[in-house]
Amino acid sequence: MTKISRRDFLKGSLAAVAIGSLGMGMAASADEDVVTINMYTMGIGTTTDYKLIEDAINEISRAEIGVEVNWTVLDIGQWFEQYNLILSGSETVDLLVNMGGITTGVNQMAFLELEDLYAEYGQGIAEYLDEDFLQAGYADGHLYGIANQKDFAATTNVTFRQDIIDELGLDVSGVASLEDWTEILAAVHEAYPDMYCFVSNGGSSLNQFDAYNWDKLGDRLGVLLDYGETAEVVNLYESEQYESICRLMREWYEAGYVAKDTATSSENYGDIIKAGKAFCSITTGNPGTADEATTNTGYPMGTIALTEALSTTSNVTTIMWSIPYAAAEPEAAMKFLNLMYTNSEVSDLLNYGIEGTHYQVLEDGTYDYVDGEDGTNNSYHPAMTWIWPNTYIGGDWTTSTIGLGEKMTEFNKNARRSMYQSIRPGQVWLDTEGKRIQAHGGSILAVEDTFYWYGENKEKRQAASISGTGASVAIRRRTCTTGRMRV
């Protein structure tokens, strides 16, 4: 029985419809039928004006690419309950955002292979998304997810109410560790005995440390310690680092700094702070963290990085866009994803809504709520900007970090990278010259911190025979780079 891959099946399908199809950047002809796609995303309960945004986006997308979207929004609290049902194909879905990566969909064979669609209709995305980060969406040699333009690295931060720090005259300039923060919590607890000094972010306080200065490798059971610079996978919960955090959290709890229900609470830390009930939490960090927290809580917020920035595969795959295998309009879905990634008007609509209705443009060019509205009563709240493909091409919110796109690009570039971000199952491994590693039938010799991979070089072929010149590849433990050495 001949096995036909989904990619080969897709190629055939694309060939059947290729004649007369429109490429990106070309307006739809007047007599061409407009294609409708079904898009599913998550949202928050206070945001209700999706239909207005959908209509405004369709005015643009019909003219630009001959596609309009039928947008279904599920409350973020229901998203994970409904996600598997969506993947099952019980509903016709053409475009889908994934929170937490593509593993579940790939394992269920629920996602379409995207490399051909991306090459044909998604090249606008390539102008923004670095090839290294695109590779994170591959599994078994095929592209199944496309990351949104975001922070591809993260620090672990303590994020707090800056107004309380200022009021109490506390100096946080020397804080560089969790232990250093204990003194600050003690001072806040004394001044505000009825306030939670520290709250978790949607559950156990320890879940916020699943990616401290280690690469959690997806499930945080086996991890790479020390910023992913060592190849040894260890049990996180048996490590001295995790034990130290557990003991400190216990000390904070016994001192009354931690909310008593922190192990069972499902509330987001921002909502608790917004209600005036809490002082700080542990969060991920990037150049926009403080301003984002200020927007979401309504209080002036500060943040301090407790670790260096680390980039792992999990950072890149946190939010990815996929086209389900059962999609009725995969070509149109990729065109629309490309439009969201490249069109600033569409980006503003997705991020902030309709100008004059949901936001206004201030004299300095930044955006803010219309008069009489704020985060509590606005019907299209900008708290979900993090799910959209390319927030940075649109306008800046008045409390956001100005020039965040450039700052985030620099942040990503300078972050430390886990060695396992360089190893991608199913992908061709290249040496430092960018050539395919030739070491067939290989064996590995370890010499101190260097591993030599010996095997047959099949690059040279003469007639029907193979001229094996031999090759070895040295893999340096710390950086996971590979170089060729002829023998």
Side-chain angles (χ1 to χ4, degrees), residues 49 53 344-362 365-371 373 378-382 394-398:
D49 279 355
I53 313 304
S344 60
E345 291 181 77
V346 172
S347 180
D348 275 347
L349 285 165
L350 292 168
N351 288 326
Y352 310 120
I354 299 172
E355 182 181 351
T357 300
H358 304 107
Y359 73 93
Q360 60 179 316
V361 181
L362 304 181
T366 61
Y367 299 172
D368 199 358
Y369 295 111
V370 294
D371 294 340
E373 292 190 356
N378 183 269
S379 55
Y380 194 79
H381 194 272
D396 292 314
W397 196 254
T398 186

Side-chain angles (χ1 to χ4, degrees), residues 171-299:
D171 182 8
V172 298
S173 61
V175 173
S177 68
L178 287 169
E179 290 76 14
D180 295 339
W181 194 244
T182 303
E183 183 178 340
I184 302 299
L185 292 179
V188 173
H189 183 59
E190 182 178 359
Y192 290 90
D194 296 327
M195 175 180 285
Y196 302 137
C197 291
F198 175 85
V199 291
S200 65
N201 191 11
S204 167
S205 59
L206 293 177
N207 69 2
Q208 294 161 103
F209 298 98
D210 64 357
Y212 196 64
N213 61 349
W214 47 70
D215 183 345
K216 63 183 180 180
L217 300 178
D219 61 9
R220 66 181 175 272
L221 297 177
V223 302
L224 303 182
L225 296 174
D226 301 322
Y227 294 95
E229 288 197 345
T230 61
E232 182 183 5
V233 178
V234 302
N235 185 339
L236 173 62
Y237 303 116
E238 291 181 347
S239 68
E240 293 181 2
Q241 291 93 324
Y242 199 78
E243 179 184 358
S244 176
I245 291 173
C246 287
R247 292 186 181 280
L248 183 61
M249 290 294 101
R250 182 64 181 174
E251 290 177 16
W252 287 5
Y253 184 84
E254 291 178 338
Y257 305 154
V258 179
K260 297 299 182 183
D261 66 345
T262 196
T264 57
S265 172
S266 60
E267 284 189 271
N268 178 278
Y269 88 94
D271 292 336
I272 304 175
I273 291 179
K274 184 177 181 178
K277 298 178 180 179
F279 166 63
C280 76
S281 186
I282 299 298
T283 70
T284 55
N286 60 56
T289 295
D291 291 330
E292 181 181 0
T294 297
T295 299
N296 292 342
T297 66
Y299 288 102

Side-chain angles (χ1 to χ4, degrees), residues 100-101 136 150 152 211 215-219 311-319 421:
K150 60 183 285 293
F152 294 134
D215 183 345
K216 63 183 180 180
L217 300 178
D219 61 9
S311 180
T312 69
T313 299
S314 296
N315 293 128
V316 182
T317 60
T318 300
I319 300 292
Q421 193 185 72

Side-chain angles (χ1 to χ4, degrees), residues 449-476:
D449 284 341
T450 302
F451 293 82
Y452 295 92
W453 179 2
Y454 290 90
E456 182 183 9
N457 185 345
K458 293 188 176 182
E459 288 179 305
K460 295 186 177 181
R461 296 173 180 268
Q462 295 179 351
S465 64
I466 297 176
S467 175
T469 62
S472 71
V473 178
I475 303 179
R476 294 203 301 270

